[in-house]
């Protein structure tokens, strides 16, 4: 008997020691990356390693030394609280009921489960030993795509609410000799301009305080090169993006030891949040990839991940369309729209999209100064209402989509007259207007219902509507919520949560309707909003600017999610050039066919037919950035089908110099062993290709090692090449 007990004790001891050995580190892995977190003897959780995936599980034991130190200069605490021995930006800061501002989190437990053969979720529970504050960290690892998605949840059981004033989604640490940050900044019509700088001692913060239209000046994504400026096909690079449609903040802090800390989350500016006992504060998802072979592969991984897991209807088809915005602006009537519907059909696109200007009667929407908020059809422009237009579209054999901007209001509107208390504005100061409008207070559940009601009413009255373009033109100005009263510091966060509640309700009731996310151009482009939207509007601008803009967005978004239209901006560029630029993304037209001559129309019809034929390769293939417009006077990109049997190659001459040396472009992503035929498409009718390679066949190996002569010294010219396996 004694012997038996001894054996049981020995086995239990063995089990326990195995468990504690397992517990001393937590491994979060993709096929290419390991993130190793360590539980130190002091009970706290540290980042032990983030880098190339290790081959041997036993090598992880080597990190135990780091774990056991747990103090000193390099405290890489995974979720550091304020008031401890770390002197840098904390991930969490709480003012407890007794006024104490220190929080130190210790490890409680963790669990890892496979969500499917590719996705693993690790959940880590932490708590403060002195105050009843708890944090849960979530890490979802996508093996094949090499993506890790993280977020945190904060709660407490103190007697009264506590104030939380730092609440990061995630914190990461890096050790390298130099760090280079690429940021994306801009404004309307010049979105996502890329610039790179070296990070030296101290902090560089990228953040926004705009509330809504939050990404008007800077965008919720970044790259950090860890062994030089981020490069396309080599080098270690961190690429990260935050899924939050409001104020966000990335802090890059190089500390006293030369290590880099990257803190990502909601911008805590003016947002000390009162958290009730038991209430859970969920932070947004921070999505990152740590690439060991440059940004190109990392982008393709993000594209695959987005299509598979995040983007609304990521695997589905997309509709080509004709939008009336730049064709008519606010100046239209039924007849004009019906003509445009017929033009849409004649172009060969799937849908007609009615933009701004179709609503409001007491204060008609003749321009952007009135009517926003009054979502009744404007009877003088459209006496027979929207149902009639839906029918006209049906008669023209195209689908019908409609523009809305339901989160906003013009002060000159019936809505504002009836419900000034629904509007974010100062009660006791002069009002400042951005584009003559104000933002509705989405922290108020009644207003959330109203905004949902805008969509619901349109859909109930017009079940035939096939698409929404959902705009958001104003940042939050005159920052005061009549609903939140003395809790104004919750406005920026509760407003965005209110927006999500509306998106969620729309998605639940109308799960299959495609929607474009728009925000005065491309100021809303994040992966939380894109759970509800099939695509986003990149920019209202001319094709030359859009070459740079599309290049910039392509680092984080698949072209399938990037709406790009042919417009009349920059008429000095040919219609072919404008179309060839829009063909790179989700194609649409914002132009009347009346602006085209016969040849141009035939060209556009041919381009739409080509696009429809090649859509699967363009929208679902692998995207390669070949030649950067930032580094040369030209640019080239290509899409390759997953089967590597078809590719579409785009080449643009922007502003070449006289007599400039033109280099061949080496293609990427093809199968070296296969033979491919080269054919220039999208040619102006009755012209022939000038490419000497046109009609010839080459091995994938040749095309990738020697390349093709794609560029010319003609200003603003373009060509699209179809590449087909023989
Ligand atoms: C924003 C959009 C445009 C258009 C207008 C309508 O500026 O970016 O595409 O929809 O609103 O007012």
């Amino acid at each position: 008997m004694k012997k038996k007990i001894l054996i049981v004790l020995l086995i239990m001891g063995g089990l326990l020691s195995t468990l504690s050995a397992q517990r001393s580190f937590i491994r979060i892995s993709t096929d290419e990356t390991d993130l190793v977190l360590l539980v130190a003897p002091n009970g706290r959780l540290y980042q032990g390693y983030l880098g190339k995936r290790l081959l041997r599980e036993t090598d992880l034991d080597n990190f135990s030394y780091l774990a056991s130190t747990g103090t000193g200069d390099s405290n890489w605490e995974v979720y550091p609280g304020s008031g401890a021995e770390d002197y840098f930006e904390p991930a969490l800061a709480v003012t407890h009921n007794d006024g104490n501002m220190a929080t130190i989190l210790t490890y409680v437990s963790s669990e890892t489960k496979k969500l499917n053969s590719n996705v693993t979720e690790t959940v880590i529970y932490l708590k403060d030993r002195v105050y009843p504050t708890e944090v849960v960290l979530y890490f979802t690892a996508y093996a094949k795509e090499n993506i890790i998605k993280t977020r945190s949840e904060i709660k407490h059981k103190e007697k009264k609410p506590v104030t939380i004033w730092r609440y990061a989604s995630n914190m990461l640490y890096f050790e390298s000799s130099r760090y280079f940050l690429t940021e994306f900044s801009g404004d309307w019509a010049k979105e996502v301009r890329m610039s790179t700088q070296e990070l030296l001692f101290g902090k560089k913060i990228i953040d926004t305080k705009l509330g809504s239209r939050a990404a008007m000046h800077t965008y919720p994504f970044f790259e950090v090169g860890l062994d030089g400026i981020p490069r396309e096909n080599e080098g270690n690079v961190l690429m990260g993006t935050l899924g939050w449609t409001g104020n966000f903040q990335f802090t890059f802090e190089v500390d006293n030891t030369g290590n880099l800390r990257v803190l990502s989350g909601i911008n805590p500016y003016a947002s000390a949040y009162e958290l009730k006992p038991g209430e859970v504060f969920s932070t947004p998802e921070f999505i990152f990839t740590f690439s060991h072979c440059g940004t190109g592969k990392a982008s393709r991984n993000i594209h695959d991940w987005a299509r598979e897991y995040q983007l609304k209807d990521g695997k589905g088809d997309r509709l080509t369309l004709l939008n009336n915005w730049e064709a008519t602006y606010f100046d239209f009537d039924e007849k004009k729209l019906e003509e445009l519907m017929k033009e849409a059909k004649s172009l060969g696109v799937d849908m007609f999209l009615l933009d701004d200007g179709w609503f409001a009667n007491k204060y008609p929407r003749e321009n952007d100064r009135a009517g926003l908020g009054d979502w009744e059809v404007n009877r003088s422009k459209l006496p027979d209402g929207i149902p009639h237009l839906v029918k006209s579209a049906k008669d023209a054999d195209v689908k019908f989509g409609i523009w809305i901007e339901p989160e906003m209001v013009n002060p000159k509107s019936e809505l504002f007259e009836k419900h000034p208390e629904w509007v974010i504005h100062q009660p006791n100061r002069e009002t400042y207007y951005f584009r003559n409008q104000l933002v509705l207070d989405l922290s108020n559940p009644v207003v959330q219902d109203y905004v949902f009601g805008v969509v619901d009413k349109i859909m109930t009255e017009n079940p035939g509507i096939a698409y929404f373009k959902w705009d958001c033109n104003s940042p939050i100005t005159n920052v005061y919520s009549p609903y939140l009263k003395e809790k104004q510091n919750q406005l920026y966060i509760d407003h965005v949560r209110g927006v999500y509640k509306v998106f969620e309700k729309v998605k639940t009731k109308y799960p299959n309707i495609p929607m474009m996310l728009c925000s005065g151009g491309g100021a809303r482009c994040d992966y939380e909003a894109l759970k509800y939207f099939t695509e986003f509007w990149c920019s209202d601008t001319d094709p030359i600017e859009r070459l740079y803009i599309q290049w910039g967005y392509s680092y984080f978004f698949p072209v399938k999610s990037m709406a790009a239209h042919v417009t009349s901006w920059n008429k000095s560029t040919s219609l072919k050039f404008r179309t060839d630029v829009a063909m790179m993304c989700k194609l649409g037209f914002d132009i009347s066919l009346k602006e085209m001559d016969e040849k141009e129309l035939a060209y556009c019809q041919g381009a739409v037919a080509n696009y429809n034929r090649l859509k699967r390769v363009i929208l679902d293939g692998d995207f390669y950035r070949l030649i950067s417009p930032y580094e040369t006077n030209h640019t080239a990109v290509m899409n390759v089908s997953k089967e590597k049997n078809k590719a579409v190659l785009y080449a643009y001459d922007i502003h070449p110099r006289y007599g400039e040396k033109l280099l061949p472009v080496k293609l990427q992503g093809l199968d070296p062993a296969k033979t491919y035929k080269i054919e220039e498409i999208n040619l102006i009718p009755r012209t022939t290709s000038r490419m000497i390679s046109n009609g010839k066949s080459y091995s994938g190996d040749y095309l990738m090692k020697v390349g093709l002569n794609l560029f010319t010294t003609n200003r603003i010219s373009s060509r699209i090449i179809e590449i087909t396996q023989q």
Side-chain angles (χ1 to χ4, degrees):
M1 185 66 187
K2 265 189 191 165
K3 212 174 162 189
K4 266 189 189 163
I5 292 174
L6 193 69
I7 292 170
V8 171
L9 282 176
L10 276 174
I11 293 173
M12 277 180 65
L15 259 180
L16 283 177
S17 65
T18 324
L19 274 178
S20 62
Q22 278 169 357
R23 251 194 227 141
S24 69
F25 64 80
I26 299 160
R27 182 182 195 183
I28 295 152
S29 307
T30 67
D31 285 352
E32 287 162 45
T33 302
D34 264 327
L35 171 61
V36 181
L37 311 180
L38 307 158
V39 183
N42 63 4
R44 288 159 69 177
L45 187 68
Y46 297 92
Q47 179 183 309
Y49 176 75
L50 172 55
K52 266 194 185 163
R53 190 187 163 121
L54 298 165
L55 292 177
R56 284 198 209 159
E57 181 90 13
T58 48
D59 283 343
L60 300 186
D61 292 336
N62 298 330
F63 294 118
S64 59
Y65 166 71
L66 278 177
S68 63
T69 59
T71 55
D73 269 350
S74 322
N75 264 346
W76 286 14
E77 191 158 10
V78 173
Y79 206 72
S82 65
E85 74 287 356
D86 188 82
Y87 314 116
F88 301 93
E89 281 297 325
L92 175 70
V94 182
T95 303
H96 299 286
N97 281 183
D98 61 1
N100 194 312
M101 293 162 94
T103 302
I104 297 182
L105 296 169
T106 51
Y107 174 84
V108 178
S109 65
S110 64
E111 59 210 25
T112 298
K113 61 172 185 270
K114 274 224 162 261
L115 302 184
N116 60 41
S117 58
N118 188 49
V119 187
T120 309
E121 186 186 65
T122 303
V123 185
I124 305 172
Y125 300 89
L126 307 172
K127 70 163 198 214
D128 191 319
R129 286 176 181 157
V130 177
Y131 291 90
T133 303
E134 293 169 21
V135 169
V136 187
L137 304 178
Y138 292 86
F139 295 84
T140 312
Y142 299 83
K144 198 157 46 86
E145 296 81 8
N146 191 30
I147 301 283
I148 301 179
K149 187 165 92 171
T150 69
R151 67 185 178 90
S152 60
E153 281 177 2
I154 304 157
K155 67 175 181 191
H156 72 94
K157 290 187 200 129
E158 297 198 27
K159 288 211 167 56
K160 288 187 290 172
V162 300
T163 303
I164 55 172
W165 40 282
R166 287 288 186 280
Y167 27 73
S169 294
N170 172 268
M171 181 138 185
L172 295 172
Y173 300 81
F174 298 91
E175 186 173 29
S176 190
S177 52
R178 294 174 82 184
Y179 311 95
F180 292 86
L181 170 73
T182 298
E183 64 180 308
F184 299 77
S185 58
D187 203 336
W188 181 73
K190 52 173 193 166
E191 288 87 348
V192 292
R193 291 196 171 165
M194 297 172 67
S195 59
T196 301
Q197 59 185 268
E198 183 165 5
L199 296 169
L200 300 170
F201 175 81
K203 269 182 284 188
K204 157 80 186 174
I205 293 177
I206 297 177
D207 72 6
T208 167
K209 302 181 178 75
L210 295 160
S212 63
R213 196 175 174 171
M216 182 160 69
H217 300 146
T218 184
Y219 299 81
F221 36 86
F222 66 84
E223 300 169 358
V224 178
L226 294 153
D227 45 14
I229 289 172
R231 280 154 295 159
E232 193 64 16
N233 294 314
E234 56 187 352
N236 289 315
V237 62
L238 168 74
M239 292 174 67
T241 177
L242 192 79
W244 185 245
T245 319
N247 296 348
F248 57 85
Q249 185 175 72
F250 300 119
T251 305
F252 305 89
E253 187 164 22
V254 178
D255 65 20
N256 55 323
T257 59
N259 292 332
L260 173 68
R261 296 148 175 259
V262 180
L263 198 62
S264 307
I266 296 176
N267 185 355
Y269 164 77
S271 299
Y273 201 91
E274 189 178 281
L275 192 65
K276 295 188 205 78
E279 191 187 348
V280 176
F281 185 93
S282 281
T283 66
E285 293 172 346
F286 173 66
I287 299 128
F288 74 92
T289 181
F290 184 71
S291 167
H292 323 294
C293 48
T295 51
K297 176 77 168 61
S299 293
R300 286 187 288 283
N301 283 343
I302 299 174
H303 300 164
D304 282 345
W305 166 82
R307 282 183 297 229
E308 183 73 26
Y309 300 105
Q310 196 87 358
L311 179 64
K312 181 176 178 185
D313 196 21
K315 292 195 255 182
D317 195 10
R318 293 293 181 272
L319 298 168
T320 51
L321 59 86
L322 174 73
N323 186 0
N324 72 309
W325 176 238
E326 291 197 24
T328 64
Y329 292 103
F330 294 95
D331 180 21
F332 56 81
D333 56 18
E334 250 167 40
K335 196 163 155 278
K336 263 195 194 172
L337 298 183
E338 282 166 354
E339 273 167 26
L340 283 168
M341 291 172 193
K342 289 182 197 138
E343 292 184 5
K345 182 66 195 169
S346 130
L347 253 182
V349 296
D350 303 312
M351 180 169 59
F352 169 74
L353 170 63
L354 172 59
D355 212 284
D356 196 356
W358 59 266
F359 48 89
N361 290 292
K362 182 169 174 191
Y363 302 105
R365 184 77 172 163
E366 304 292 359
N367 49 47
D368 64 18
R369 289 192 290 278
L372 210 49
D374 300 344
W375 299 101
E376 294 290 340
V377 74
N378 179 297
R379 289 280 161 199
S380 65
K381 280 189 201 175
L382 306 170
D384 302 317
I386 299 297
H388 175 79
L389 290 179
V390 177
K391 182 170 176 307
S392 303
K394 198 164 180 225
D395 294 345
D397 193 23
V398 286
K399 292 179 194 295
F400 183 86
I402 196 161
W403 178 97
I404 50 172
E405 193 180 4
E407 297 158 61
M408 304 279 157
V409 63
N410 281 127
K412 247 175 127 183
S413 67
E414 290 184 74
L415 180 68
F416 190 75
E417 282 175 353
K418 267 192 236 144
H419 290 294
E421 78 287 4
W422 285 6
V423 179
I424 297 175
H425 68 300
Q426 292 285 345
N428 49 4
R429 290 176 201 276
E430 206 183 320
T431 307
Y432 166 79
Y433 299 101
F434 186 99
R435 209 196 191 211
N436 315 299
Q437 64 193 62
L438 294 169
V439 181
L440 290 177
D441 183 0
L442 269 299
S443 69
N444 183 346
V446 175
V447 182
Q448 292 164 18
D449 288 346
Y450 159 80
V451 175
F452 169 71
V454 173
V455 180
D456 202 29
K457 182 164 175 285
I458 295 173
M459 285 305 289
T460 312
E461 290 173 4
N462 309 282
I465 283 188
Y467 185 83
F468 281 97
K469 175 179 178 185
W470 184 308
D471 213 335
C472 161
N473 275 294
S474 178
I476 295 183
T477 52
N478 316 285
V479 190
Y480 179 85
S481 154
Y483 173 75
L484 288 171
K485 300 198 176 73
E486 70 285 352
K487 291 193 186 155
Q488 294 303 316
N489 42 354
Q490 315 222 156
L491 173 58
Y492 282 127
I493 293 177
D494 287 355
H495 177 80
V496 179
R497 289 183 175 161
V499 171
Y500 291 147
K501 281 192 187 139
V502 177
F503 287 171
E504 188 62 47
K505 263 176 119 172
V506 172
K507 191 177 175 181
T508 307
K509 185 147 183 201
Y510 305 104
N512 299 323
I513 190 147
M515 305 212 291
M516 183 208 288
L517 182 65
C518 174
S519 185
R524 268 186 170 177
C525 47
D526 70 86
Y527 271 119
E528 187 61 27
L530 285 173
K531 286 180 180 168
Y532 306 98
F533 289 82
T534 44
E535 59 229 45
F536 69 94
W537 181 229
C538 295
S539 181
D540 298 285
T541 190
D542 78 82
I544 297 180
E545 283 311 320
R546 240 169 338 91
L547 279 176
Y548 295 83
I549 291 168
Q550 291 167 191
W551 179 271
Y553 281 126
S554 79
Y555 282 81
F556 288 89
F557 301 99
V559 290
K560 179 174 227 171
S561 66
M562 291 161 51
H565 293 180
V566 179
T567 71
S568 314
W569 272 53
N570 198 345
K571 283 197 178 136
S572 69
T573 61
S574 69
L575 205 68
K576 169 172 165 58
F577 186 83
R578 285 179 259 160
T579 308
D580 286 357
V581 173
M583 282 268 289
M584 199 204 282
C585 297
K586 207 226 82 171
L587 176 66
F589 289 79
D590 238 285
I591 187 171
S592 165
L593 304 198
K594 293 199 180 63
E595 292 188 39
M596 303 179 188
D597 63 27
E598 199 195 318
K599 229 177 177 185
E600 286 173 327
L601 174 60
Y603 163 79
C604 286
Q605 288 164 328
V608 173
N610 284 332
Y611 188 81
N612 284 335
R613 190 167 52 77
L614 297 167
K615 227 181 192 185
R616 224 182 68 71
V617 185
I618 298 170
L619 300 181
D620 296 317
D622 289 329
F623 184 75
Y624 291 86
R625 287 180 292 267
L626 303 177
I627 302 291
S628 167
Y630 285 92
E631 286 162 17
T632 69
N633 304 326
H634 314 264
T635 181
V637 300
M638 72 188 285
N639 293 299
V640 184
S641 70
K642 293 282 176 195
E643 305 77 24
K644 295 187 186 291
N645 57 359
K646 193 75 153 174
V648 184
L649 171 62
Y650 307 78
Y652 308 89
D653 305 304
I654 307 173
H655 41 72
R657 305 293 303 276
Y658 171 78
E660 152 185 343
K661 177 153 180 59
L662 299 169
L663 295 170
V665 177
K666 292 175 184 147
L667 309 196
Q668 292 184 40
L670 300 172
D671 182 339
K674 286 181 175 163
T675 303
Y676 296 93
K677 184 167 182 200
I678 303 298
E679 275 168 300
E680 184 173 356
I681 58 168
N682 274 22
L683 289 161
I684 307 267
R686 300 188 287 280
T687 61
T688 48
S689 172
R690 295 211 185 141
M691 286 179 61
I692 39 173
S693 51
N694 190 47
K696 296 192 180 146
S697 293
Y698 303 88
S699 72
D701 186 51
Y702 176 92
L703 292 169
M704 293 193 289
K705 286 182 181 155
V706 181
L708 289 176
N709 288 312
L710 296 177
F711 296 135
T712 73
T713 47
N714 301 330
R715 278 193 76 240
I716 313 175
S717 72
S718 58
R719 56 216 57 81
I720 299 187
I721 291 113
E722 182 175 347
I723 299 174
T724 312
Q725 185 194 339
Q726 294 304 286

